[in-house]
């Protein structure tokens, strides 16, 4: 294989995934079968087969390859990550356990404990977590222990470990998201400082007319060619575009991006005074820029599970097309602040937004967010993350 052949194969496969074609993906599958240790090829192939609707069958090339590449640690890591991203933590825990028998690496035991806990296998996870008695020495262990303590109902322990995490990882949005949950559970007065009584959640009308929205809807529909969302995404009962929606975009998408940028600046101007110790307000005196964007198309029964965008500072949901009955009987509602299901908590939403065509919701990226299912029709949206301009 020529030196640049792997990159060309991956690029052709990516183009096919985005366009709904199969020739490049089939070519990649043949190359992976001939080169079972090619990790990047396996990852791209798993992506392709998952989005084509193969379910756990998307990972069969990983499983075949590991029979021949038993001591390929990178291949094991990629396989375990794919299982976790597909929403199968129990299978990821079992795979990590199999890998531990080969490599005897403590990090694999932590992975088994973390994923077993996420899968609800709390006794199994608890036995393994007891081996990690000094969480302060490794903050990745601390984060896993916080999540496990929440699942076990030990909110005091979770809060104690969280304080150490906040000192060490104040720039980490995922840790602030845990703080929001734990401070609600423990009636911590710092909650008011963090969430600010809805002052950080806003809903704006965009400067788009019906022709703009109709053109956008047609363009976006053409980009939704897969049968399932990419691995690791929150979409259930729908699809999500790959890559950056705004990269190399046509006039309709650029018109949308300008309207979103204007709304983002209007949002910044509504924020309270800057605070150096706050994960969002520390940037309130600086303009924000759109980091990347994507589109989601949901159909009957579709929804987002509660999730987080840890690479952004501000997150969003912009509505292009909605079912006529949306909003009735609390269907299709955007819920902010609901913990992810795997934590086993019953906290209600901090805020709810009923979608409107041509509007955008903007909120801190440290808020978990998801949507309620709807009974019929199509829900077409665009989302992006924003970061402060450096």
């Amino acid at each position: 294989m020529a030196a640049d052949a792997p990159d060309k194969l991956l690029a052709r496969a990516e183009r096919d995934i985005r366009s709904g074609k199969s020739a490049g993906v089939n070519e990649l599958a043949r190359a992976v079968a001939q080169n079972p240790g090619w990790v990047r090829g396996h990852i791209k192939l798993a992506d392709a087969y998952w989005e084509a609707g193969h379910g756990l069958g998307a990972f069969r090339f990983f499983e075949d390859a590991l029979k021949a590449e038993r001591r390929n640690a990178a291949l094991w890591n990629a396989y375990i990550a794919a299982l976790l991203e597909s929403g199968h933590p129990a299978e990821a825990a079992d795979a990590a356990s199999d890998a531990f028998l080969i490599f005897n690496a403590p990090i694999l035991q932590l992975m088994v404990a973390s994923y077993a806990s996420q899968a609800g296998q709390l006794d199994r996870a608890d036995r393994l977590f007891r081996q990690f008695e000094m969480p302060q020495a490794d903050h990745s262990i601390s984060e896993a222990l916080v999540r496990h303590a929440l699942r076990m109902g030990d909110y005091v322990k979770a809060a104690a470990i969280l304080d150490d995490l906040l000192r060490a990882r104040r720039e980490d949005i995922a840790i602030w998201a845990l703080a929001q949950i734990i401070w609600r559970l423990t009636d911590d007065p710092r909650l008011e400082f963090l969430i600010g009584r809805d002052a950080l959640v806003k809903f704006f009308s965009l400067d788009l007319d019906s022709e703009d929205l109709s053109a956008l809807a047609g363009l976006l529909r053409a980009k939704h060619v897969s049968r399932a969302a990419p691995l690791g995404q929150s979409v259930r009962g729908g699809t999500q575009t790959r890559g950056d929606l705004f990269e190399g975009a046509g006039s309709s998408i650029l018109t949308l991006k300008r309207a979103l940028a204007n709304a983002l600046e209007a949002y910044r101007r509504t924020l309270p005074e800057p605070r150096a110790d706050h994960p969002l307000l520390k940037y309130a005196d600086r303009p924000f820029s759109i980091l990347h964007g994507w589109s989601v198309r949901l159909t009957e029964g579709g929804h987002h599970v509660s999730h987080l965008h840890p690479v952004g500072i501000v997150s969003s949901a912009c509505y292009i097309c909605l079912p006529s009955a949306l909003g009735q009987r609390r269907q299709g509602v955007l819920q902010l602040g609901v913990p992810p299901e795997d934590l086993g908590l019953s906290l209600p939403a901090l805020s709810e937004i009923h979608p409107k065509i041509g509007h955008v919701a903007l909120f801190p990226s440290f808020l978990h967010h998801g949507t309620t299912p709807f009974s019929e029709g199509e829900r077409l949206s665009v989302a992006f993350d924003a970061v402060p301009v450096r």
Side-chain angles (χ1 to χ4, degrees), residues 18 220 223-224 230 233 240-249 253 256-257 260 289-296 309 311 314-318 381-387:
R18 296 190 187 196
L220 293 173
K223 294 179 177 290
H224 286 272
Q233 303 306 316
Q240 178 173 318
T241 57
R242 295 175 67 87
D244 182 3
L245 182 68
F246 301 122
E247 183 179 350
I253 296 293
L256 172 64
K257 187 177 182 181
L260 293 173
S289 64
I290 294 174
L291 186 61
H292 54 254
W294 61 95
S295 173
V296 171
H309 299 171
V311 299
V314 178
S315 293
S316 66
C318 170
S381 62
V382 168
F384 64 88
D385 288 323
V387 295

Side-chain angles (χ1 to χ4, degrees), residues 142 145-150 154-163 165 182 185-186:
S142 297
L145 283 171
V146 167
R147 297 180 188 278
H148 182 62
L150 287 173
D154 193 343
Y155 306 148
V156 173
K157 179 178 180 180
I161 303 173
L162 172 73
D163 285 342
L165 271 174
I182 292 169
L185 291 168
T186 58

Side-chain angles (χ1 to χ4, degrees), residues 257-273:
K257 187 177 182 181
R258 284 193 293 269
L260 293 173
N262 290 337
L264 189 58
E265 175 58 16
Y267 172 78
R268 185 189 69 81
R269 292 183 179 186
T270 70
L271 293 175
E273 290 296 313

Side-chain angles (χ1 to χ4, degrees), residues 270-355:
T270 70
L271 293 175
E273 290 296 313
R275 289 195 57 159
D277 55 348
H278 191 279
L280 168 60
L281 297 182
K282 67 194 296 183
Y283 306 114
D285 58 351
R286 291 165 56 182
F288 290 100
S289 64
I290 294 174
L291 186 61
H292 54 254
W294 61 95
S295 173
V296 171
R297 182 176 182 268
L298 299 175
T299 53
E300 179 180 336
H303 64 286
H304 288 269
V305 296
S306 194
H307 64 289
L308 200 65
H309 299 171
V311 299
I313 298 299
V314 178
S315 293
S316 66
C318 170
Y319 304 103
I320 308 301
C321 180
L322 298 171
S324 58
L326 202 66
Q328 299 177 13
R329 301 183 301 280
R330 298 178 57 76
Q331 293 189 22
V333 174
L334 173 63
Q335 297 184 316
L336 303 172
V338 176
E341 186 177 357
D342 69 86
L343 292 181
L345 303 171
S346 58
L347 288 174
L350 289 168
S351 300
E352 292 189 340
I353 291 176
H354 292 262

Side-chain angles (χ1 to χ4, degrees), residues 117-265:
S117 178
Q118 187 173 334
Q121 300 172 356
L122 299 184
D123 290 342
R124 177 189 186 188
D126 215 39
R127 290 193 298 271
L128 292 169
F129 272 127
R130 288 177 193 148
Q131 300 177 32
F132 302 97
E133 296 180 355
M134 296 182 65
Q136 293 80 6
D138 185 333
H139 294 294
S140 65
I141 297 175
S142 297
E143 184 177 351
L145 283 171
V146 167
R147 297 180 188 278
H148 182 62
L150 287 173
R151 296 182 185 111
M152 296 290 288
D154 193 343
Y155 306 148
V156 173
K157 179 178 180 180
I161 303 173
L162 172 73
D163 285 342
D164 176 64
L165 271 174
L166 279 175
R167 284 189 290 270
R169 292 166 58 180
R170 293 193 69 80
E171 302 301 315
D172 192 331
I173 290 297
I175 303 306
W176 285 106
L178 285 172
Q180 179 268 128
I181 293 170
I182 292 169
W183 291 347
R184 290 175 73 189
L185 291 168
T186 58
D187 294 322
D188 194 301
R190 287 175 290 180
L191 180 65
E192 173 69 17
F193 144 81
L194 183 61
I195 63 175
R197 295 183 182 273
D198 278 350
L200 308 182
V201 177
K202 301 294 179 181
F203 199 42
F204 293 94
S205 175
L206 297 174
D207 186 19
L208 298 172
D209 59 28
S210 58
E211 290 186 4
D212 292 329
L213 292 165
S214 179
L216 274 168
L219 190 152
L220 293 173
R221 287 189 189 104
K223 294 179 177 290
H224 286 272
V225 296
S226 63
R227 295 184 180 179
L231 283 168
Q233 303 306 316
S234 63
V235 179
R236 303 293 184 268
T239 57
Q240 178 173 318
T241 57
R242 295 175 67 87
D244 182 3
L245 182 68
F246 301 122
E247 183 179 350
S251 59
S252 293
I253 296 293
L254 291 178
T255 297
L256 172 64
K257 187 177 182 181
R258 284 193 293 269
L260 293 173
N262 290 337
L264 189 58
E265 175 58 16

Side-chain angles (χ1 to χ4, degrees), residues 37-103:
W38 184 24
V39 176
R40 288 197 302 154
H42 279 286
I43 293 171
K44 184 67 70 177
L45 192 60
D47 283 343
Y49 281 178
W50 180 262
E51 289 194 45
H54 289 262
L56 285 174
F59 312 131
R60 67 181 186 276
F61 280 86
F62 271 122
E63 293 156 3
D64 290 342
L66 284 168
K67 296 173 185 175
E69 296 276 335
R70 190 167 178 269
R71 297 197 63 81
N72 187 329
L75 192 62
W76 274 106
N77 283 335
Y79 174 51
I80 294 165
L83 288 170
L84 188 67
E85 290 174 353
S86 71
H88 292 85
E91 288 79 358
D94 290 343
S97 182
D98 291 342
F100 179 75
L101 295 177
I102 299 169
F103 300 104

